[in-house]
Amino acid sequence: MERILEIADRFDLEGRPVSAESYGGGHINDTFLLKTDADRCYILQGINVSVFKNAEALMENIILVTDFLKKKILSSGGDPLRETLNVVMTRDGETYYKDGNDCWRVYTFIDGAVTYQTCESQEQFHASACAFGHFQKLLADFPAETLFESIPDFHNTKSRYLDFEAAVAEDARGRAASVQEEIAFVRAHKEFAATLVDMQERGELPLRVTHNDTKLNNVLFDETTGLPLAVVDLDTVMPGLSVNDFGDSIRFGATYAAEDETDLGKVNFEIELFECYTKGFLGECGEMLSENEKKMLPVGAMMMTFECGMRFLTDYLNGDTYFKIHRENHNLDRCRTQFKLVRDMEASRELMDQVVKKYC
Ligand code: ADP
Ligand code: GN1
Ligand code: MG
């Protein structure tokens, strides 16, 4: 912890850092809740530099996006200190601090807020839909060309498929033989994997500035009102597909089960949750979406769930080098919940289409 406090001390904080504890349930960065002797709290994050290879450009994106959001929040009478991320500079005026190969950043801590690791109620999921739909709307006129692509091909499910086949071929940990069923499931979806990427390439779906990681625990909720306060985790704000932002939320939240639940009997796609999210999302940003985008929302949900399951499986085959794991077979357990949800969604496709029509 000494080292963490030394790093924290490089930033322009109010007071001297006195404690730091691990915080949140993210799979990528190392997040700490930092406290100072001036009774101030901050979020200190070790940026995962094997995932985000250019920390400087990443931070530049975040400054551009948050500055843009702050103006919009102010003009609608909101509080930019609570409704979006605020980067704290280093004492040398840099957006991040480099310590050897490691890169660190600090945000002011948004207090009085909570995040949820699983969906607990229809109201909560509806609120998160409003938050992500509103975020999409706020960014509608953000100049996309100013953004650096922080992870190239992030939701290019076709190239994710190739990464998966490469991991099977390499079989770095000798795990492929034990996951034949999951491998077969991915292969059976090879054509499906291309659907949205092909539509985008044919000009049938527009690129917009999207969040790209819209899971429930990337929304902060006000702990007293229960209302959504801020969308966080802005590392992957890049040009992308709106249907994928919709879909990634459904993947994580349209079930009451955790992403890593081992009892698949508990992992069910809940059409009522899908409906709550659709209502909230389209209520916020439906007007700006094209007919194709609206029609493809159910496919976005299936695609993001399939893609994420495939990414977990790929990482399991590669020896767990990308997502943080906390137990043996963690990535495999995560992969299995996603594939169970894909199967459920496939069986509910007609119902999903009907729900979308109802709110268009
Ligand atoms: P990761 O990329 O690893 O998912 P996040 O940026 O999402 O990291 O941060 C992890 C968690 O920390 C979030 O889910 C949220 O609960 C919390 N968090 C992040 N930023 C803040 C902030 N500025 N104020 C309060 N909590 C935050
Ligand atoms: C990661 O960073 P976090 O935990 O919010 C991942 C997402 C996955 C998600 C699966 C940069 O999100 O793409 O959908 O895990 N983020 C990155 O839970 O790869
Ligand atoms: Mg996160």
Side-chain angles (χ1 to χ4, degrees):
M1 216 35 83
E2 263 318 289
R3 176 170 175 251
I4 303 290
L5 293 180
E6 268 172 40
I7 288 162
D9 210 19
R10 304 284 176 156
F11 289 84
D12 194 13
L13 309 176
E14 238 185 275
R16 303 307 291 259
V18 289
S19 71
E21 59 188 66
S22 280
Y23 193 76
H27 293 342
I28 302 295
N29 296 308
D30 290 325
T31 305
F32 297 89
L33 169 61
L34 196 70
K35 291 188 179 150
T36 72
D37 59 8
D39 213 19
R40 294 298 303 258
C41 291
Y42 296 89
I43 287 284
L44 170 70
Q45 274 185 333
I47 300 171
N48 186 328
V49 288
S50 56
V51 170
F52 300 106
K53 300 199 161 50
N54 185 341
E56 183 151 3
L58 176 76
M59 292 312 293
E60 187 57 31
N61 272 4
I62 290 176
I63 299 278
L64 285 173
V65 170
T66 53
D67 281 352
F68 184 89
L69 291 174
K70 277 179 222 169
K71 284 189 198 126
K72 296 224 166 174
I73 292 167
L74 266 176
S75 70
S76 61
D79 178 356
L81 291 176
R82 296 197 82 215
E83 294 173 30
T84 190
L85 289 173
N86 285 270
V87 175
V88 177
M89 301 291 200
T90 67
R91 293 182 196 280
D92 300 331
E94 304 291 338
T95 55
Y96 72 106
Y97 171 66
K98 197 163 168 34
D99 179 38
N101 284 332
D102 300 336
C103 295
W104 296 83
R105 69 177 166 211
V106 169
Y107 294 122
T108 55
F109 183 74
I110 300 173
D111 55 16
V114 274
T115 41
Y116 301 99
Q117 303 307 327
T118 52
C119 180
E120 292 168 359
S121 69
Q122 296 190 6
E123 293 71 27
Q124 185 187 78
F125 199 42
H126 177 263
S128 76
C130 296
F132 283 122
H134 188 64
F135 185 84
Q136 176 80 98
K137 198 165 66 179
L138 288 181
L139 290 180
D141 56 345
F142 183 92
E145 66 286 354
T146 59
L147 284 178
F148 160 78
E149 203 178 2
S150 58
I151 305 181
D153 287 325
F154 190 55
H155 284 315
N156 183 331
T157 318
K158 266 165 103 170
S159 76
R160 294 277 184 195
Y161 183 89
L162 297 178
D163 296 344
F164 153 78
E165 283 293 3
V168 177
E170 180 159 351
D171 196 14
R173 293 292 173 94
R175 292 173 171 176
S178 64
V179 290
Q180 284 306 307
E181 216 179 292
E182 288 75 16
I183 291 174
F185 184 84
V186 175
R187 288 184 170 151
H189 288 78
K190 182 177 178 188
E191 245 178 72
F192 169 75
T195 327
L196 293 175
V197 177
D198 285 350
M199 283 185 78
Q200 189 262 310
E201 283 171 358
R202 287 196 301 265
E204 294 165 12
L205 289 173
L207 276 180
R208 301 183 185 278
V209 175
T210 49
H211 183 281
N212 292 303
D213 191 0
T214 51
K215 63 182 188 183
L216 185 65
N217 67 9
N218 288 328
V219 179
L220 301 185
F221 292 85
D222 186 308
E223 73 184 356
T224 44
T225 64
L227 294 173
L229 198 53
V231 168
V232 298
D233 203 345
L234 304 178
D235 292 330
T236 50
V237 174
M238 291 182 279
L241 299 181
S242 190
V243 296
N244 286 343
D245 265 12
F246 173 87
D248 200 35
S249 288
I250 299 299
R251 166 193 89 69
F252 190 85
T255 174
Y256 292 112
E259 188 185 57
D260 59 357
E261 174 61 60
T262 50
D263 178 357
L264 292 184
K266 292 185 185 157
V267 182
N268 302 303
F269 170 63
E270 308 288 349
I271 193 75
E272 293 78 15
L273 288 174
F274 178 80
E275 176 156 357
C276 291
Y277 195 93
T278 305
K279 185 178 173 194
F281 189 79
L282 287 179
E284 278 294 330
C285 70
E287 274 180 14
M288 61 178 262
L289 300 184
S290 69
E291 285 312 307
N292 265 347
E293 284 177 298
K294 286 186 261 190
K295 195 176 88 193
M296 296 312 277
L297 290 173
V299 176
M302 292 192 272
M303 190 64 73
M304 285 300 97
T305 314
F306 168 72
E307 182 192 275
C308 195
M310 176 168 69
R311 289 173 64 197
F312 287 141
L313 182 59
T314 302
D315 199 32
Y316 178 73
L317 291 166
N318 285 338
D320 309 307
T321 59
Y322 185 92
F323 297 104
K324 279 188 188 156
I325 55 160
H326 306 291
R327 61 175 191 245
E328 212 183 319
N329 293 343
H330 207 165
N331 273 316
L332 180 58
D333 294 338
R334 290 168 176 155
C335 154
R336 287 179 171 151
T337 63
Q338 302 306 290
F339 290 171
K340 166 66 168 61
L341 291 172
V342 173
R343 282 194 289 270
D344 282 6
M345 288 181 205
E346 286 171 344
S348 306
R349 176 63 198 275
E350 265 178 44
L351 283 175
M352 292 165 86
D353 287 339
Q354 282 166 21
V355 167
V356 169
K357 274 209 189 101
K358 185 169 160 189
Y359 294 100
C360 279

